[in-house]
Amino acid sequence: SFYDVQACGLPVVSENNNINTKRNSHQNGFTFEAGSVENFRKCIQVCVDMDEHEYLAMRVNSRRLIEESFDYEKIAQLYTDLLIEEYKRFNNGMDPS
């Protein structure tokens, strides 16, 4: 998925729709025109021809996006906290531990 690839520090090439345009707005990937094989190929070629330092920056941006916004540990903690709150709400404030 987009998130797993980005977590590996790889730029993503994806179709230009609202979701993908937003996902790739952090200098972490490319979008291509839907249905355009030529534009898809061009995006890949830009990535291949990219200067080593630019590519490294894009990799760092990819990883940073995931770490700051979609890190599994942070998301799991949010769900855990929510479950504890709900448990307490339905059990007269008792702690589940």
Side-chain angles (χ1 to χ4, degrees), residues 12-71:
V12 171
V13 177
S14 52
E15 180 180 282
N16 67 343
N17 59 40
N18 292 341
I19 293 170
N20 291 334
T21 299
K22 184 176 180 181
R23 286 177 177 171
N24 286 322
S25 66
H26 309 275
Q27 290 78 41
N28 58 319
F30 306 92
T31 55
F32 64 92
E33 295 173 28
S36 174
V37 174
E38 183 60 33
N39 192 245
F40 176 65
R41 183 182 175 283
K42 182 180 175 184
C43 287
I44 293 172
Q45 193 65 50
V46 167
C47 190
V48 169
D49 294 339
M50 189 178 287
D51 171 83
E52 182 180 338
H53 297 290
E54 283 181 275
Y55 185 74
L56 179 59
M58 189 170 272
R59 290 187 59 155
V60 168
N61 291 338
S62 297
R63 184 96 173 121
R64 183 181 299 132
L65 173 66
I66 299 305
E67 289 174 349
E68 291 176 358
S69 304
F70 303 103
D71 184 64

